[in-house]
Amino acid sequence: MRSEARLGWMLVAPALGVIALIAIFPLGWTFWESLHLHELRMPWLGKPFVGAGNYVEIAKDPRFWSALGHTAFFTFVSISLELLIGLFLALAMNRAFRGRGFVRAAVLVPWAIPTVVAALLWRFIFESQGGIANELLVNVGILDQPIVWFIRTWTAWIPVILADVWKTTPFVALLLLAGLQNIDLTLYEAAAVDGANPWWQLRHITLPLLKPAILVTLIFRTLDGFRVFDLIYVLTGGGPGTTTEPVALYTFNALLQNLRFGYGSALSVVIFSVTFGIALLYVKGLGVKLAGDER
Amino acid sequence: MARIALEHVEKVYPNGYVAARDLSLDVADGELLVLVGPSGSGKSTILRLMAGLEPVTGGVIRIGERDVTDLPPQQRDIAMVFQNYALYPHMTVRENLGFGLTIRKQPVVVVDQRVRTVAASLGLDALLDRKPAQLSGGQRQRVALGRAIVREPLAFLFDEPLSNLDAQLRVETRVELSRLHRKLGATMVYVTHDQSEALTLGDRIAVLNEGVLQQIATPMQLYHQPANKFVAGFIGSPAMNFLEGVIRREGPSNVRTFRGIDLALDVPLDREAPGRVFLGVRPQHLEVVGETATGDGTLRGEVGVVEPMGNEQIVYVTLSGGDRLVAVAPPQQQVAPGDTVAIRVRLEGAHIFDAETGARL
Amino acid sequence: MSAPRINWGWWAMTGVLGALMVFTLFPFYWALVSSFTPDAALFRDPSLWPREIILDHYRALFDERDFFTPIRNSLIVAGTTTLFCLTVGTLAAYALARLEFRGKAAIMAFILAVTMFPQISIVSPLYLLLRSLRLIDTYPGLIMPYMTFAMPLTVWVLTGSIRQIPRDLEEAAHVDGATRRQSFTRILLPLAVPSLATTGILTFIYCWNEFLFALSFTLGPERQTVPVAIALFRGQYQVPWGQILAAAVIATAPVAAMVLLFQRRIVQGLTAGAVKG
């Protein structure tokens, strides 16, 4: 019915309008800015059109490539750990046991608090002088003396990744749990009757049937990983130096510290393209049905 | 009460799927018409078209004398009982029953009184303040029914209302529905996939297959004079047997033979050329006799399974040619799996269907 | 996994689960304990059990640092954004879940795509836009940018939730004579209240936790939100860990309470949007 279509569009319009105004329009602006030279610190230069100039500079910018590498490294390591632990948590939470509600809630709290608070908690734990991490490790004998975690790059990554895993594994576990609950229990019963042990069931029933959920989780987590900002801003500030700086932080610095709006915008566009590309890849791979299919 | 008429109705979905094609149907005032057919035959779709829950892509629908083709369900003044009852879970039984009237701003007194009357007639008085989640399946079904009755609509539409009930409850409710129909004298359209339900309930039955109306007639007419092979095979339990073969003419007279059986046809075949046909015979018209019997119209085969039903036995026979037949034998007859038997075909109840079109000849 | 329980497997699982629980809860415990520890003792021979309990840090938070203001700001911004998005989002979600019209798939894809935007990509134009509208360091100056993620999130989760309510009920209402608006207000909305609550909670949490926009679009303590305020705590000589942790505890407590109370709802809401595709 035509009136249904009209009503549909009318109802969707406000939400779409807001999104378009607040998200699309600025995005277009960013793209436009990226084609210009715009140094707020040097207003006498004006705002000349430089086409792909900024992008060329990015391609030659070693700090950018390092940032990209940091981001990729962080994302990869975090996701792997989160998937493993998350899968375990999901499997454990799938059966009913006493205290399951408590476990679920406890595991959710890290997800629910602000990232900056999480980062501060972990920064506090890993403080070199008298931080509890050092204390425990030395007391237990794993370390001879306290480490100054944030002074060296590879030791600085440890609290960062730990904090991220701590904070987002719950989300991963939840998504996987939902996928698990969609698996027909009678499949396991049939397998048990046929003589399959739990390992076999895990490998041949659970994991294959969990693939869609795992893929969805991978999409969300990869995108989140590439956009990481809050965590590193507070934990290491990108340091030591710029050795833990992810692309988002680099862009932030370029924009709001160095006030290089043109260049920063180009960086923004690059980040956007990368995340969009990743999302597209995943979505194509999944063949996600977006409009629903209920009739 | 009113009549419902579908005139050349067509429903094609955007993806090309044709749910109904050139469908014309008349439901007389006060009649209970059953729409029956296998899954996917389009019967539920047709019901929804009548209700206005989906728009037609062609044709006209009339309720009473009004053309309702373009009217939304709210304005058609019909009531529907859904397969899953669709009771409003957050409302009490009382509120559910009264919803149709309340929505139309009927005075509270009127609503209350009608709700109570209908609830009493359905045995729901004690449950009026409960919520649907607290009711049993049978009780919910009655509430769904009550909701429809309270509205005193022009017609009732039922979408497989009994399929969620267990077997015994189904039979009981079926009888109730029949009684209700007689009491109210209402026009009812009833959709089901169960042919025995159709036969017992319907004044007339419309048999559908893949969106096309196969035949619309009274139960007896459908049983004894099926229009085509589909209807013949669908109606009646156990289902009709079909033997495929060719009719040959032996000699100049009207005698034809079918796989060795001589047929004396009382309906002259127009076509001279032998055609491939199906011979349809109901299990009740097949006699199981000892293997020594010979004569015209006997077939030989081996018994596979015997199902004792109490008042009769259902015998599954595999013929020497490989065909399978189902026959009905009286309870006292000695038949056992593995027996070699002969089957005598009683031709009075037999039908012949053209192999290609399926039409009865 | 199914019924046959191998004993050592069960023990191993419980053991690992226990370890994970400790890992999850330890930072909170440690923050709590440390927030009651005087500054001087914070890094000197820390112990797992509290030696003394003082409330100085908490007092200082409110007396010296005026922690009320960021809390107030966060409440206003998160609350307003959530309410607005719920209202507008419900209408859109109803249309997307219940009505048929061309372009629906495109809209859903679009909304999904917007949730994937890296915020950093729109910080600068938003900054310039807000500056030209003189909205830097104001409430609308935060509420508007927050819509970029709150609105798509709300619409997405609500659409998923409404889809799970059977259509039968509204169809029955239509047949019974209800107009679309009546079936929406009397049938769908009452049944959608749990989903609305859940979506509201989720949106509120996301807004409350937001950092980048709040950092970029506020200038001073008057309008800073809780995350920004905490991150920017500066001490005279050193990082004021005692107060930071006290603030962290305060920031965490209500969230933890909400999660404990509504964990089932939250889980449903998260997964309704995500896994259903």
Side-chain angles (χ1 to χ4, degrees):
Chain A
M1 296 180 185
R2 289 125 279 144
S3 65
E4 192 171 312
R6 199 152 38 103
L7 180 66
W9 278 102
M10 261 174 43
L11 290 177
V12 179
L16 271 190
V18 167
I19 296 179
L21 192 63
I22 299 294
I24 300 302
F25 173 56
L27 198 65
W29 191 336
T30 299
F31 184 67
W32 181 243
E33 275 276 319
S34 73
L35 300 175
H36 296 72
L37 185 69
H38 194 182
E39 309 283 337
L40 283 185
R41 280 222 185 106
M42 298 192 265
W44 56 87
L45 287 178
K47 207 175 135 179
F49 182 85
V50 291
N54 286 320
Y55 293 97
V56 172
E57 190 181 336
I58 291 180
K60 295 197 274 196
D61 185 354
R63 189 166 160 189
F64 166 74
W65 289 105
S66 310
L68 201 58
H70 303 149
T71 314
F73 167 72
F74 168 78
T75 306
F76 180 71
V77 175
S78 295
I79 293 187
S80 315
L81 286 173
E82 283 158 17
L83 262 184
L84 233 75
I85 304 180
L87 185 61
F88 174 80
L89 263 180
L91 287 171
M93 287 202 278
N94 200 18
R95 351 159 159 225
F97 57 88
R98 243 181 322 154
R100 176 163 79 151
F102 175 74
V103 169
R104 219 166 23 186
V107 144
L108 260 186
V109 181
W111 167 83
I113 65 175
T115 313
V116 297
V117 171
L120 284 169
L121 289 180
W122 284 96
R123 170 107 208 190
F124 180 63
I125 292 179
F126 276 87
E127 269 298 305
S128 39
Q129 290 290 80
I132 192 71
N134 275 331
E135 286 297 310
L136 287 175
L137 288 173
V138 167
N139 284 349
V140 167
I142 300 183
L143 291 179
D144 290 327
Q145 58 187 38
I147 301 182
V148 183
W149 297 91
F150 297 106
I151 278 257
R152 257 174 319 178
T153 308
W154 75 266
T155 52
W157 275 118
I158 295 182
V160 170
I161 293 185
L162 214 51
D164 193 65
V165 168
W166 180 80
K167 188 167 196 305
T168 45
T169 304
F171 184 63
V172 172
L174 280 181
L175 287 180
L176 293 179
L177 182 62
L180 274 183
Q181 286 170 338
N182 280 339
I183 300 182
D184 190 357
L185 282 177
T186 57
L187 288 177
Y188 295 114
E189 292 173 351
V193 165
D194 279 349
N197 63 37
W199 276 119
W200 190 96
Q201 290 173 21
L202 178 67
R203 270 181 50 226
H204 290 108
I205 300 181
T206 312
L207 286 180
L209 287 177
L210 210 48
K211 244 200 288 203
I214 295 182
L215 275 173
V216 171
T217 313
L218 274 178
I219 296 185
F220 280 115
R221 286 305 307 145
T222 311
L223 291 173
D224 284 343
F226 261 84
R227 298 184 283 179
V228 68
F229 177 82
D230 306 9
L231 192 70
I232 303 195
Y233 180 86
V234 172
L235 256 179
T236 64
T242 60
T243 52
T244 58
E245 189 182 51
V247 281
L249 186 53
Y250 180 41
T251 311
F252 178 78
N253 286 332
L255 280 173
L256 292 172
Q257 279 193 358
N258 301 337
L259 296 178
R260 304 191 59 198
F261 267 66
Y263 189 62
S265 300
L267 284 171
S268 298
V269 173
V270 170
I271 297 182
F272 178 77
S273 316
V274 171
T275 50
F276 210 67
I278 297 178
L280 266 181
L281 267 176
Y282 272 127
V283 169
K284 276 278 154 68
L286 256 194
V288 172
K289 282 212 200 102
L290 289 165
D293 48 358
E294 312 134 56
R295 273 295 154 99
Chain B
M1 283 307 129
R3 59 182 272 271
I4 302 181
L6 265 60
E7 295 165 15
H8 302 291
V9 164
E10 180 194 84
K11 174 69 184 174
V12 182
Y13 283 102
N15 61 1
Y17 178 68
V18 179
R21 205 191 326 244
D22 193 19
L23 190 73
S24 293
L25 233 258
D26 247 322
V27 186
D29 191 349
E31 171 181 41
L32 198 165
L33 177 75
V34 177
L35 295 177
V36 75
S39 310
S41 53
K43 49 192 195 302
S44 282
T45 314
I46 293 175
L47 200 72
R48 290 171 66 89
L49 290 175
M50 284 185 193
L53 290 170
E54 289 191 42
V56 297
T57 44
V60 172
I61 303 183
R62 279 183 225 284
I63 300 185
E65 295 312 311
R66 273 200 314 167
D67 180 348
V68 300
T69 321
D70 292 319
L71 290 183
Q74 293 87 334
Q75 297 171 21
R76 294 197 187 194
D77 198 15
I78 39 96
M80 187 152 159
V81 178
F82 290 76
Q83 188 172 2
N84 293 321
Y85 316 138
L87 300 181
Y88 310 121
H90 55 299
M91 297 187 189
T92 61
V93 169
R94 192 194 303 268
E95 288 164 343
N96 262 282
L97 291 175
F99 186 75
L101 297 177
T102 318
I103 266 289
R104 282 173 218 267
K105 314 266 202 296
Q106 293 286 328
V108 180
V109 191
V110 173
V111 176
D112 194 51
Q113 197 226 7
R114 277 220 249 173
V115 166
R116 267 188 287 131
T117 319
V118 172
S121 74
L122 289 172
L124 295 170
D125 334 45
L127 307 170
L128 280 176
D129 290 308
R130 300 232 193 125
K131 296 243 177 92
Q134 300 163 304
L135 302 177
S136 73
Q139 290 167 334
R140 286 186 210 169
Q141 215 264 357
R142 277 182 279 151
V143 176
L145 202 50
R147 191 169 65 183
I149 298 176
V150 164
R151 293 208 17 234
E152 293 177 8
L154 289 178
F156 289 84
L157 304 177
F158 295 90
D159 192 356
E160 305 212 40
L162 304 183
S163 54
N164 287 347
L165 302 174
D166 62 62
Q168 184 178 0
L169 204 51
R170 208 178 299 173
V171 174
E172 286 173 13
T173 318
R174 213 163 71 190
V175 174
E176 284 298 317
L177 279 175
S178 221
R179 215 173 276 159
L180 189 72
H181 175 235
R182 256 188 299 280
K183 186 171 93 157
L184 294 178
T187 311
M188 294 184 175
V189 182
Y190 187 101
V191 164
T192 178
H193 61 272
D194 183 344
Q195 55 93 35
S196 63
E197 217 168 88
L199 287 174
T200 51
L201 273 180
D203 291 334
R204 276 196 308 159
I205 303 176
V207 180
L208 291 156
N209 189 29
E210 291 183 1
V212 179
L213 180 64
Q214 305 293 315
Q215 183 176 4
I216 175 168
T218 66
M220 280 303 113
Q221 284 171 334
L222 283 180
Y223 189 85
H224 291 294
Q225 293 155 1
N228 59 32
K229 177 166 175 287
F230 178 79
V231 176
F234 191 77
I235 303 284
S237 178
M240 186 184 279
N241 294 290
F242 292 106
L243 292 170
E244 198 177 341
V246 181
I247 293 200
R248 263 181 251 285
R249 199 182 189 192
E250 303 282 319
S253 63
N254 245 0
V255 176
R256 306 275 190 269
T257 61
F258 180 85
R259 293 162 56 144
I261 313 171
D262 284 331
L263 306 173
L265 301 171
D266 44 349
V267 179
L269 274 181
D270 294 329
R271 295 167 335 167
E272 286 301 322
R276 281 189 59 247
V277 295
F278 283 97
L279 179 71
V281 190
R282 293 209 180 267
Q284 291 80 357
H285 298 146
L286 289 178
E287 241 180 273
V288 181
V289 293
E291 58 180 307
T292 52
T294 53
D296 304 332
T298 58
L299 304 160
R300 233 153 274 283
E302 183 182 316
V303 176
V305 174
V306 177
E307 288 178 353
M309 301 296 278
N311 59 331
E312 57 192 15
Q313 298 180 84
I314 301 188
V315 184
Y316 293 81
V317 179
T318 310
L319 296 181
S320 27
D323 292 295
R324 305 242 189 108
L325 288 182
V326 181
V328 169
Q332 61 273 32
Q333 189 171 351
Q334 299 280 20
V335 197
D339 288 356
T340 312
V341 296
I343 306 284
R344 186 173 294 148
V345 178
R346 292 220 310 273
L347 292 173
E348 316 85 69
H351 303 286
I352 300 181
F353 302 97
D354 182 286
E356 274 148 44
T357 66
R360 189 163 69 100
L361 300 169
Chain C
M1 306 201 208
S2 82
R5 270 170 237 277
I6 312 173
N7 233 354
W8 63 264
W10 185 84
W11 277 110
M13 220 190 211
T14 314
V16 179
L17 198 60
L20 277 178
M21 283 294 99
V22 169
F23 176 65
T24 306
L25 297 173
F26 177 71
F28 294 118
Y29 170 75
W30 185 235
L32 191 65
V33 166
S34 304
S35 71
F36 292 129
T37 314
D39 266 328
L42 266 183
F43 292 111
R44 222 166 298 243
D45 191 20
S47 88
L48 284 178
W49 292 109
R51 289 218 192 87
E52 49 183 314
I53 301 211
I54 55 152
L55 291 175
D56 287 3
H57 299 308
Y58 288 93
R59 204 187 27 82
L61 260 190
F62 292 100
D63 290 343
E64 287 158 31
R65 272 192 202 277
D66 183 24
F67 200 53
F68 284 120
T69 308
I71 296 182
R72 177 200 71 192
N73 294 337
S74 277
L75 277 175
I76 293 183
V77 172
T80 314
T81 311
T82 303
L83 280 173
F84 184 76
C85 287
L86 272 184
T87 319
V88 173
T90 307
L91 296 175
Y94 175 74
L96 290 169
R98 287 286 188 253
L99 300 176
E100 287 300 317
F101 52 97
R102 253 187 306 165
K104 213 165 67 155
I107 294 181
M108 293 294 279
F110 174 67
I111 292 181
L112 185 62
V114 174
T115 60
M116 298 181 181
F117 270 25
Q119 284 184 295
I120 190 73
S121 300
I122 49 178
V123 163
S124 61
L126 275 181
Y127 182 82
L128 294 171
L129 177 68
L130 291 174
R131 196 172 69 157
S132 65
L133 291 174
R134 285 190 225 274
L135 288 178
I136 296 283
D137 211 35
T138 66
Y139 287 130
L142 276 186
I143 295 176
M144 268 173 53
Y146 276 22
M147 303 274 187
T148 55
F149 58 84
M151 188 68 85
L153 175 73
T154 312
V155 174
W156 185 261
V157 176
L158 275 177
T159 307
S161 307
I162 293 186
R163 282 219 187 113
Q164 291 184 342
I165 301 178
R167 270 180 200 252
D168 275 13
L169 299 171
E170 286 156 84
E171 285 180 349
H174 288 161
V175 170
D176 275 350
T179 63
R180 208 177 257 292
R181 180 179 312 171
Q182 284 172 321
S183 77
F184 176 71
T185 48
R186 291 202 196 210
I187 308 289
L188 187 63
L189 224 43
L191 292 176
V193 162
S195 318
L196 285 172
T198 308
T199 312
I201 295 177
L202 279 176
T203 311
F204 188 85
I205 290 182
Y206 274 111
C207 289
W208 182 275
N209 294 351
E210 202 284 328
F211 182 67
L212 177 59
F213 282 170
L215 180 69
S216 313
F217 302 145
T218 58
L219 296 174
E222 264 307 294
R223 287 284 178 265
Q224 278 168 358
T225 57
V226 169
V228 176
I230 298 185
L232 295 181
F233 270 12
R234 293 270 176 273
Q236 254 194 317
Y237 302 108
Q238 50 181 320
V239 180
W241 278 113
Q243 290 180 7
I244 292 182
L245 292 170
V249 169
I250 294 183
T252 309
V255 172
M258 261 207 292
V259 164
L260 277 165
L261 281 177
F262 298 116
Q263 46 107 336
R264 190 157 287 163
R265 284 270 152 72
I266 295 180
V267 171
Q268 269 177 358
L270 278 177
T271 52
V275 180
K276 285 296 174 178

